[in-house]
Amino acid sequence: MTTVAAQSSSRLRHSAVDIATALEMPPPTDEQAAVIEAGAAPLLVVAGAGSGKTETMAARVVWLVANGHVDPDQVLGLTFTRKAAAELSQRIATRLRGLERAGLWSPPADDGTGAEVLGGTPTVSTYHAYAGRLVREHALRVGIEPEFRVLTEAGAWQLAAEAVSRWDGPMEGVLKSESTVIQAVMALAGEMAEHVRTPREVIDHLDAVLERLEALPDGDGRGSLTTARDTLAVLRERRTVLPIVESFLALKRERESLDFADQMAIAARLTRSVPAVGQIERERFRAVLLDEFQDTSEAQLELLRSLFHHPGVALTAVGDPNQSIYGWRGASATTLLRFPSEFSGQDGRADVLPLSTSWRNDRVILEAANAVAAPLATEHVRPLRSRPGAGAGSIEVARLDSAQEEAEHLAGWIAAHWRSPSGRRTGRSAAVLCRRRSSFPVMLEALRRHRLPVEVVGLGGLLVTPEVSDLV
């Protein structure tokens, strides 16, 4: 660690402020500069909402390139969606072009033949696409044919339905419909893959839990606590479904098919059991950015730790436990809080740096947000503070008698701000967040009554349109 730090210091030619000035961009804050100029060691950045994390990650790549720590094609960026990957890639590319124009960096020269030179471009991908690439390149090392078929969610559902319809084993105590059992099979298989567990491991653990719960006395001779009966019923149903999960997994193997969760689990197993895979990736990538780290699963954590927890890799994980959204598929905000210990080095736990200046909101809104988020406070998370020159802001609250009145009130408020007093469009936009998907139709009708253009983001929006609803 000392050697790496000394090398970083001796090779520092351009500060984060120097680069921002050369690119004619606003200077970074002290917090941003600390992240941008961090050394080649594991680093956790806890970035609050609207704190400029994407901009800071792009600036860190440019700083590493400008100071000769890495070449652009030695940079790997991972995030969850193709949209986020495209945005990060575009920002890095724009900054690198600016760096070249400013004379602070030169791309690789051609070999004299006039042919296009490969390299000079960072790799930015989704976590699952990266895992899929590892599996395709190295699957044979663990006995899996690389020419597997990647299942869409619909394809996986069809195989799960086939496994359920074929099943002729005991189903006592399972009162759910066939479609519900299919969904349960898919959910359990996905959770096991995300946690790198096999059906046999889950069955053994569940049997032990059931044995303990059924042995609890409650004084009525039934052998279980009254308050635990609902839990017992759910666990018994799950125990009955697990053999069908095994059949579903066997069916996927038989058809040489994998879904996204399978790819992640196999990639984690590959990197854990075949050290050569990690060596190849570390030779290719010397700077790694991990976006939205609070939403990584156990399989993703194991994969990334096996690959990049190594001296000399500038590994930067960015996230916020208060923004974790993927708990339904094995993710946990505690993954982010475990980063300092999971990626510790000889000098102790990995460093943690904050990004706590929000560039998105005015002061009163941030004060309200901090008050609401206070019960969620965890280690390393700081309250958000407003940007320099932020306005006071305002918050309006309404108490209404029904969901229909609430939707009408909100639609009227948006319409009043969307149009000027003369009726012309102001160019503003707004987002409405609903706690339940069932609220979408009521809100949509209210917005359309006010002649507002509206789009429902995500698959749920399609399901409330009449044509798709009829099809389903």
Side-chain angles (χ1 to χ4, degrees):
M1 295 291 288
T2 303
T3 303
V4 172
Q7 289 175 346
S8 299
S9 176
S10 65
R11 295 169 64 184
L12 176 61
R13 301 194 298 266
H14 309 290
S15 70
V17 174
D18 293 338
I19 293 172
T21 302
L23 299 182
E24 298 180 350
M25 303 187 72
T29 65
D30 291 343
E31 287 182 343
Q32 288 175 319
V35 172
I36 294 167
E37 298 177 355
L43 170 69
L44 172 63
V45 180
V46 180
S51 60
K53 62 167 185 161
T54 305
E55 195 68 26
T56 304
M57 290 166 69
R60 174 154 172 73
V61 171
V62 171
W63 181 86
L64 288 167
V65 171
N67 286 285
H69 296 298
V70 298
D71 293 327
D73 59 357
Q74 294 174 319
V75 176
L76 172 66
L78 298 177
T79 188
F80 275 96
T81 65
R82 289 189 293 270
K83 180 180 178 181
E87 181 184 357
L88 178 59
S89 180
Q90 182 179 12
R91 291 202 192 194
I92 293 173
T94 300
R95 281 176 173 264
L96 286 175
R97 287 194 295 270
L99 202 65
E100 182 183 1
R101 286 194 300 269
L104 302 183
W105 168 71
S106 298
D110 65 33
D111 56 5
T113 64
E116 182 180 354
V117 178
L118 296 178
T121 303
T123 299
V124 183
S125 171
T126 65
Y127 286 100
H128 281 94
Y130 178 66
R133 196 263 291 170
L134 289 177
V135 173
R136 285 191 299 274
E137 292 182 1
H138 302 285
L140 280 175
R141 296 175 184 265
V142 289
I144 296 174
E145 287 292 335
E147 300 302 322
F148 55 83
R149 179 168 64 105
V150 179
L151 291 170
T152 62
E153 187 172 351
W157 190 94
Q158 287 178 310
L159 283 186
E162 185 175 340
V164 171
S165 63
R166 284 182 176 186
W167 181 250
D168 59 358
M171 293 294 286
E172 292 85 359
V174 179
L175 305 178
K176 303 294 191 296
S177 65
E178 181 176 339
S179 62
T180 303
V181 174
I182 294 169
Q183 291 294 343
V185 167
M186 290 183 62
L188 282 169
E191 289 282 353
M192 282 186 280
E194 296 286 1
H195 287 86
V196 202
R197 297 294 178 183
T198 65
R200 178 46 51 190
E201 288 176 315
V202 178
I203 288 172
D204 291 343
H205 176 72
L206 196 51
D207 285 344
V209 172
L210 285 169
E211 185 179 353
R212 291 287 300 275
L213 287 175
E214 290 167 349
L216 293 173
D218 69 352
D220 64 0
R222 297 184 183 180
S224 64
L225 287 174
T226 302
T227 54
R229 284 178 192 155
D230 290 343
T231 301
L232 276 168
V234 171
L235 293 180
R236 287 182 183 126
E237 283 188 342
R238 191 167 296 170
R239 175 63 178 84
T240 303
V241 169
L242 277 167
I244 310 179
V245 176
E246 287 186 295
S247 297
F248 171 52
L249 298 180
L251 197 56
K252 285 197 287 186
R253 288 193 297 269
E254 178 185 321
R255 306 283 172 83
E256 296 183 349
S257 301
L258 298 174
D259 57 27
F260 291 122
D262 295 328
Q263 289 186 81
M264 190 61 67
I266 292 170
R269 180 153 59 96
L270 260 171
T271 56
R272 181 181 58 199
S273 59
V274 185
V277 176
Q279 184 177 349
I280 291 169
E281 292 302 297
R282 287 189 295 274
E283 288 175 355
R284 182 175 179 181
F285 300 115
R286 291 172 50 205
V288 181
L289 304 175
L290 307 175
D291 192 19
E292 305 289 4
F293 196 77
Q294 77 278 354
D295 285 321
T296 51
S297 66
E298 191 67 27
Q300 288 165 328
L301 175 64
E302 185 172 317
L303 167 68
L304 298 166
R305 185 178 54 216
S306 300
L307 288 176
F308 301 119
H309 186 200
H310 198 271
V313 177
L315 177 68
T316 307
V318 185
D320 178 4
N322 289 351
Q323 297 183 65
S324 181
I325 63 173
Y326 287 127
W328 52 269
R329 62 121 183 88
S332 170
T334 58
T335 305
L336 182 139
L337 301 177
R338 287 165 52 196
F339 183 94
S341 57
E342 294 286 351
F343 291 85
S344 60
Q346 294 179 349
D347 295 342
R349 291 160 62 89
D351 289 336
V352 181
L353 293 175
L355 289 178
S356 56
T357 299
S358 174
W359 303 93
R360 187 181 294 163
N361 301 115
D362 290 331
R363 293 194 300 274
V364 171
I365 296 170
L366 283 178
E367 290 171 7
N370 287 331
V372 171
L376 303 174
T378 54
E379 186 183 7
H380 308 311
V381 177
R382 293 185 180 182
L384 288 168
R385 57 172 180 258
S386 58
R387 67 192 183 280
S394 65
I395 296 175
E396 298 179 26
V397 179
R399 181 185 291 272
L400 300 144
D401 291 333
S402 67
Q404 286 75 14
E405 288 184 29
E406 181 182 50
E408 185 64 28
H409 174 83
L410 184 55
W413 187 93
I414 293 173
H417 288 77
W418 191 69
R419 296 188 183 93
S420 67
S422 64
R424 299 183 65 180
R425 297 181 180 183
T426 61
R428 294 177 176 178
S429 62
V432 179
L433 307 182
C434 298
R435 294 182 66 87
R436 293 180 298 274
R437 191 170 292 170
S438 59
S439 302
F440 286 6
V442 177
M443 195 66 240
L444 276 172
E445 290 173 8
L447 291 167
R448 286 170 176 159
R449 276 197 300 272
H450 285 265
R451 292 179 291 120
L452 293 167
V454 59
E455 175 190 5
V456 178
V457 178
L459 180 61
L462 289 174
L463 297 179
V464 300
T465 58
E467 297 83 0
V468 176
S469 180
D470 288 344
L471 176 63
V472 173

